[in-house]
Every structure is written in structure tokens, then in C-alpha cells.
Amino acid sequence: MSEFSEGLAEILEVEAAEITPDYELGAAWDSLAIVSTIALIDEVYDRSVGVQELEDCKTVGDIQRLVEAQGA
Amino acid sequence: MRPPNQLPGSVPARIVGVATHLPDRVLTNEELAAQFPEWPAEKILEKTGIRERRIAADGETALDLGYQAACKLLDREEGLREAVDFLIFCTQAPDYVLPTSACILQDRLGLGTHVGALDINLGCSGFVYGLALSSSLIASGAARNVLLVTADTYSKYINDRDKSVRTLFGDGAAATLIRAGDGSCQAALGPFVFGSDGSGAKALIVEAGGFRLPASAATAEERTDRFGNIRNQQNLYMDGAGVMAFTLREIPQVYAQLLEKSGTSAGDYDYVVLHQANKFILDVLQRKLGLAGNRMPRRYEDVGNTVSSTIPLVLAGLFEGGKLTAGTRIMVLGFGVGLSWAGGVIQF
């Protein structure tokens, strides 16, 4: 999870320590962040998630749950 | 040492040369940043790898750009103009719905009236499809000197207040001459692999203005998307995330397919030239395909994504740098709008 968290921190332009499941994506969750996250999920987990579902995520936890659901 | 034999599915044919043309007007990151304050110039460069892109003037069409590129190419050598017997014009911004823009280009270039001419409506995969068509025409004996012109002006579809696509796309053209091989040269084109997925049609689209959704007052109404980009249905729309997902899903497989079809392996290629969408996608593909940086040439910093001309723009640079000499083998891979993709091998 930590490589993923670090990647997310870089995408959202915050410190890695701030990436907790409750962290709200907010305005930083723009088209560039989403595209970057698709690439990050591919790199770290070798998985793909639904684009619409990813766009609808509101927190880091939402993203993590989406990724985990794909792995099942 | 690479085997000198022709690959299965290849056609003796040579890319004689490539010329390119870009319109004069430059759209810099600074200009974009002035309009979109939350999108500073350094960030644009860092995230997309693009510093500037060229924009066609009002009244300057893709055909005009293609004409300039073709003239540059044909003027290089005595007799080239007369030798052309087929013209393929690849664009998604034709001069007219009809007639065929390639016919108009035939006339403007002063090519003979015995020349075959047709348009192909493809974007980022267009150059590779064009090469495949050219090699087939040559293989059948239908043509001996095919002039393949790629040209586009996506800027004319783009809404000035849609920063997502305005950042990425640039206008430009390229002209490539493909000649039937004579017995002596080892140059060859192919094999090729193709792919199409129309379920992704809406990922990159100008929705209104054709017959499915004719232009109207309603389609001219601007809307703001969830990211703050403004566009109407007559403007270019790109679902960046959808295109990224498609690219990650398909392109590594196409690469593998082409290696298999040609009976080659990764080490058999001097260069792999991908469609130059932007730095981000290329970084991802470089990692996924396991390519060394020096074997994956790039050009987007000064021109952005010129659609069907991105690959020939790289080839032109390789030619100028003396990198495409006899014995060089490269792979070209175009992918994008359609969704459409094609890969091919070029043996010099």
C-alpha cells in the first residue's frame, strides 16, 4: 500500500503522511490526477479500474476499495 | 546480428523521405497559463512534456499544411513529382465534406491525372494505416510511388476554454514518399497488425456536425464539465482517462502481437516509434514495454500532439540525424481516436 500511497501523494501534491483512507480528494481530483492514478494503479497493482468509478471517488479510501475489488 | 531475410508479411518497399510542415503561430504554455491561472506554465511542461504547440491560421486548412509538406518533399529531387502515382491524404479536418481533399491536393501539387487519390479519415493511427495501404498498393503492383500526406488542424475543433485538449494538441502535417523496392534493396514495409474498438467512439469525438447529430443551436450551446473545461458538442471532446485506460490495456498486446507476427523480438529493433500523444503516456508505455530511452525517440515538446503526423515527425528527425540507414529496423505504433490502432515494421 505504501508505494501506492506515495504515488497518490505525489499526484495530489501533498505529503505522503497525509494520505490516510479518510483523506478527501477535493478539487485536486481533476482530469490529470485521474489519468495519473490510472497509470499508478497499473504500475503498482497491474490492474485496471472503471474510469467512471474512479472519477466518482471522494476519498483515498474509495480509491483503495476500488482497487481491492478488482483484485478479488 | 539481425537476419537479413525479409520478414513474413513484409513487402519490398522503401520510405524515400519525409518532410514536415508546421503553421507559424505558436501557442506557448505562458499564454495558456495567463488564461488558466491554476495551470502554470512549468506545471504544463512537467506534466505533459509540451512547451508549445503550433496553431493553423484562420483560413489555413489541414490541406494547406499538407500541401506545404508535400512540396518540401517533392522539391527535393528532380522527377519526384512526376513519379508519384498514388496519393493518400489522411485528415479529420478536410477542406470539404465532398469532394475528396486528396483530389484537390493532386491538382494543387501538379501531379498527373493518372494518379490515384483518396482520403482516409483517421487520427493517431492514420500514418501506420497509411503505410499499410501504401505497401499493399505496391505489393499488388497497383502503384509504385505512393505519396502519403498526414495533416490535421484539431485546433479548429477545440474550444478556447477547454484547457484539457488545448494543452495537448497541435496542428501540423507530414509528407512521406513510399517507393516499390527494386530487387537489390533490402528495404521493406510490414508486417502490420491492426485494431479497432468502436465502443470507445465517444472517448475522442467531435459529436455534432456530421449526420448522426447535425449542427444546431442546441449543439452550439456551451457547457462546463466537472473539471471546469468549457465546450459544446461541435468541439473536440477527449476522455483522457478512458484513452489512458485503453492505451494501457491494448498497446502492450499490440506490441507483442507484432513481434509474434513478424517472428522478431524486442532486441531486433533499433527504434520503436510510438504515436507521440504526450510525455505522460509515453513514460507509461516505455515502462510497460520495457524500452530503453534511447530506443524510443520522442518529439512533442515543441509541437504537442499533431495526431496522424506525430510518427512521421519523429521519422523526419531520425532521417535528419542520419539514424535511418540501410539495415536499420524500426517499429511504428499508432493508437487513439476511433478507437483505432495499428503497428508495423519498417526495414530500411
Side-chain angles (χ1 to χ4, degrees), chain B residues 11 21 40 104 113 140 142 157 169 221 256 338:
Chain B
V11 170
H21 183 77
I104 300 173
T113 55
S140 68
Y157 292 122
F169 290 100
E221 268 173 38

Side-chain angles (χ1 to χ4, degrees), chain B residues 115-129:
Chain B
V115 165
L118 54 83
D119 288 353
I120 63 176
N121 180 332
L122 281 171
C124 323
S125 62
F127 180 75
V128 185
Y129 270 91

Side-chain angles (χ1 to χ4, degrees), chain B residues 1-345:
Chain B
M1 178 157 163
R2 279 183 296 285
N5 306 319
Q6 301 288 14
L7 298 176
S10 68
V11 170
R14 189 164 73 88
I15 295 187
V16 172
V18 180
T20 64
H21 183 77
L22 301 168
D24 292 333
R25 173 159 183 286
V26 182
L27 172 60
T28 62
N29 287 353
E30 285 71 22
E31 195 180 327
L32 287 171
Q35 187 177 343
F36 306 108
E38 74 285 11
W39 197 211
E42 312 78 47
K43 188 173 178 188
I44 299 174
L45 180 61
E46 184 205 323
K47 297 288 182 182
T48 67
I50 302 168
R51 189 184 292 276
E52 51 188 52
R53 63 296 283 154
R54 298 296 184 96
I55 307 294
D58 292 341
E60 181 176 38
T61 67
L63 188 56
D64 292 330
L65 301 179
Y67 168 77
Q68 296 290 342
C71 282
K72 282 183 197 174
L73 184 64
L74 298 175
D75 289 347
R76 280 182 192 169
E77 220 182 282
E78 194 83 35
L80 277 185
R81 224 175 212 81
E82 294 70 24
V84 172
D85 54 8
F86 209 96
L87 172 60
I88 299 175
F89 183 61
C90 176
T91 191
Q92 299 194 301
D95 266 15
Y96 305 101
V97 170
L98 59 101
T100 307
S101 290
C103 295
I104 300 173
L105 187 56
Q106 170 276 335
D107 183 50
R108 286 179 64 175
L109 287 174
L111 303 179
T113 55
H114 63 286
V115 165
L118 54 83
D119 288 353
I120 63 176
N121 180 332
L122 281 171
C124 323
S125 62
F127 180 75
V128 185
Y129 270 91
L131 278 187
L133 290 174
S134 303
S135 78
S136 299
L137 287 164
I138 286 169
S140 68
R144 288 194 54 81
N145 285 282
V146 184
L147 179 58
L148 171 60
V149 179
T150 55
D152 237 313
T153 52
Y154 266 28
S155 69
K156 294 182 191 290
Y157 292 122
I158 288 171
N159 189 306
D160 276 359
R161 294 185 295 163
D162 182 345
K163 80 168 195 269
S164 67
V165 287
R166 202 151 173 238
T167 302
L168 296 175
F169 290 100
D171 299 338
T176 303
L177 186 65
I178 299 123
R179 172 173 297 159
D182 55 37
S184 64
C185 76
Q186 65 172 1
L189 291 180
F192 292 92
V193 293
F194 308 106
S196 311
D197 183 0
S199 74
K202 304 258 167 129
L204 256 163
I205 190 167
V206 171
E207 221 173 339
F211 287 98
R212 179 57 62 198
L213 180 61
S216 66
T219 64
E221 268 173 38
E222 288 182 339
R223 294 212 177 87
T224 307
D225 71 10
R226 64 193 290 168
F227 305 118
N229 294 305
I230 294 170
R231 72 179 74 84
N232 64 33
Q233 288 173 296
Q234 289 158 210
N235 293 136
L236 180 74
Y237 165 68
M238 183 175 73
D239 168 12
V243 175
M244 169 63 76
F246 145 70
T247 302
L248 288 173
R249 190 176 63 241
E250 295 296 343
I251 302 317
Q253 291 185 59
V254 180
Y255 176 75
Q257 254 183 299
L258 188 52
L259 291 182
E260 196 190 318
K261 187 168 184 183
S262 59
T264 57
S265 62
D268 293 329
Y269 295 87
D270 296 290
Y271 301 106
V272 174
V273 182
L274 299 171
H275 163 62
Q276 306 286 297
N278 57 69
K279 175 182 187 297
F280 188 71
I281 286 198
L282 288 174
D283 285 348
V284 170
L285 286 174
Q286 183 176 339
R287 168 181 58 79
K288 282 192 82 81
L289 301 181
L291 296 171
N294 60 0
R295 290 211 291 127
M296 211 186 90
R298 299 179 180 222
R299 183 170 178 193
Y300 41 71
E301 187 174 327
D302 63 331
V303 294
N305 178 345
T306 56
V307 196
S308 52
S309 297
T310 72
I311 293 173
L313 263 143
V314 172
L315 295 185
L318 290 173
F319 263 120
E320 269 156 47
K323 301 282 207 282
L324 301 177
T325 52
T328 305
R329 180 188 284 153
I330 73 173
M331 184 191 289
V332 287
L333 260 175
F335 49 90
V337 57
L339 299 168
S340 168
W341 58 96
V345 180

